[in-house]
Amino acid sequence: MQVFRGFRHPGVAPACALTIGNFDGVHRGHQAMLALLQTEARQRGLPSCVLTFEPHPRDYFAALTKKPDLAPARIGTLRDKLSELAACGVAQTIVLPFDGRLASQSPEEFIQNVLVDGLGARYVLVGDDFRFGAKRAGDYAMLDAAGDARGFDVARMNSYEVHGLRVSSSAVREALAEGRMADAQTLLGRPYAISGHVVHGRKLGRALGASAPGQDDGFRTLNLRFKHWKPAASGIFAVLVHGLADKPLPGVANLGVRPSLDANDVNAGRVLLETHCLEWPSHLGTEGAYGKIVRVELLHKLHDELRYTSLEALTAGIAKDGRDARAFFASTHAETHRQTTRDRI
């Protein structure tokens, strides 16, 4: 999949079948829409194209009005969104900066400047709640009429439901906020995961719980930055780590701002996914994971972030979280074994 920041690039296809949206999480509703887009693109002999925005429009208006509560919690990073769009077979994605200039465009200007002149849209697929242009004045009827006048087809996809529940980014955010990871997986069609490069931290974890003073065999952690300040999920989780070994590695992770650490933390104030692998790969040593791209699946929430009053209490807390994560994986393995046995009978 080709990715472009804006559409003023020579590599952007001169014509396309297009869908527009934020696609936070790329959930099963998004996936169904992208499958339909792929079908329509093939029938027309066009590349499929996604137009998405960064920052999220509501992030922009939250910052503009100084009302941070208006910003939605973010399900996925831009990296993860692009990865999932590519997995759905999208040919190109345009990441359009959402700024004052774009926010002030009338619906008619957006259609002409972006859809027609910028992207050469020949087919446009939108959701049933799609609005666009300044003050969200544009709607499906306006877009459909513009398509008739300018020579592109317009289609609308109704809500996607699973067991009677409308699949939406809001529903995914709610499930993650409440720690309902199985429900989030149902809505997403896959385990909820965060990926990124492993970055340096204070390297405090490797000293906590070490076998002896000066040893670095304690709670080694993998730090991934979550680049939005308001993640949809937070807390302590049992996780699986992909990308370090030839099999997924079980672990326990903290997603949040680590309230027990002080301002000397090199990542202070940033949201981190900090993961301790329960089975640390020996071939990595103490430094071998830095810079690698890993994907961490958050499978089960253990509890919210806690503030510990001392390093000793923090060490004990991490150790307990590790035991609880091991217990989760043991129970999951036992249930899988029981299910396999029943299937054989």
Side-chain angles (χ1 to χ4, degrees), residues 252-337:
V252 59
N254 185 123
L255 175 59
V257 294
R258 306 159 315 286
S260 297
L261 297 183
D262 61 31
N264 293 321
D265 178 11
V266 297
N267 292 295
R270 292 175 173 171
V271 177
L272 278 190
L273 178 62
E274 192 172 25
T275 303
H276 168 57
C277 291
L278 301 177
E279 303 168 6
W280 186 263
S282 59
H283 70 276
L284 292 176
T286 58
E287 306 294 324
Y290 294 116
K292 291 185 178 296
I293 297 177
V294 300
R295 187 177 88 257
V296 182
E297 295 179 351
L298 283 64
L299 303 181
H300 174 69
K301 185 170 181 176
L302 299 174
H303 58 81
D304 290 333
E305 279 195 292
L306 300 175
R307 180 181 292 277
Y308 295 99
T309 57
S310 66
L311 290 180
E312 291 76 14
L314 175 59
T315 302
I318 296 173
K320 182 180 185 304
D321 292 338
R323 292 193 297 272
D324 291 344
R326 290 181 190 277
F328 165 76
F329 286 113
S331 65
T332 301
H333 177 76
E335 178 58 33
T336 301
H337 178 73

Side-chain angles (χ1 to χ4, degrees), residues 13-230:
C16 68
L18 177 71
T19 189
I20 308 167
N22 293 299
F23 291 93
D24 191 17
V26 194
H27 54 62
R28 290 176 68 178
H30 293 143
Q31 293 161 32
M33 176 175 281
L34 294 170
L36 176 57
L37 179 70
Q38 293 290 91
T39 298
E40 296 291 341
R42 283 193 297 269
Q43 290 178 351
R44 291 167 168 79
L46 294 169
S48 57
C49 179
V50 168
L51 174 62
T52 191
F53 306 98
E54 189 65 31
H56 191 295
R58 285 167 58 192
D59 281 352
Y60 169 80
F61 289 111
L64 184 68
T65 59
K66 298 182 179 179
K67 296 179 179 179
D69 288 346
L70 295 178
R74 186 67 63 91
I75 298 169
T77 62
L78 180 59
R79 167 190 287 278
D80 287 327
K81 174 163 64 175
L82 294 175
S83 176
E84 293 300 331
L85 290 174
C88 289
V90 174
Q92 70 176 17
T93 292
I94 308 297
V95 182
L96 199 59
F98 196 91
D99 53 21
R101 181 178 179 181
L102 184 61
S104 65
Q105 281 192 351
S106 69
E108 295 81 3
E109 289 172 328
F110 179 82
I111 291 169
Q112 187 63 48
N113 296 340
V114 178
L115 305 188
V116 177
D117 295 340
L119 296 173
R122 299 289 179 265
Y123 170 85
V124 180
L125 175 64
V126 296
D128 56 0
D129 57 354
F130 180 69
R131 309 285 298 200
F132 65 100
K135 299 182 180 179
R136 291 170 52 85
D139 58 12
Y140 177 79
M142 180 184 293
L143 184 62
D144 191 38
D148 281 341
R150 291 175 171 84
F152 60 87
D153 296 329
V154 179
R156 174 170 53 187
M157 185 168 177
N158 292 327
S159 305
Y160 186 86
E161 295 186 355
V162 175
H163 302 306
L165 174 66
R166 182 178 185 270
V167 179
S168 66
S169 294
S170 295
V172 177
R173 291 184 189 108
E174 183 177 327
L176 293 175
E178 296 174 0
R180 295 185 283 110
M181 308 310 290
D183 290 344
Q185 178 170 339
T186 297
L187 295 166
L188 292 168
R190 64 185 186 279
Y192 177 62
I194 296 170
S195 67
H197 288 91
V198 178
V199 300
H200 289 272
R202 285 180 62 191
K203 301 179 175 61
L204 176 63
R206 64 179 66 177
L208 298 178
S211 59
Q215 296 297 312
D216 287 335
D217 58 354
F219 302 116
R220 297 171 181 149
T221 60
L222 308 166
N223 296 331
L224 306 184
R225 288 187 183 132
F226 191 94
K227 293 188 177 180
H228 193 269
W229 62 275
K230 192 177 181 181

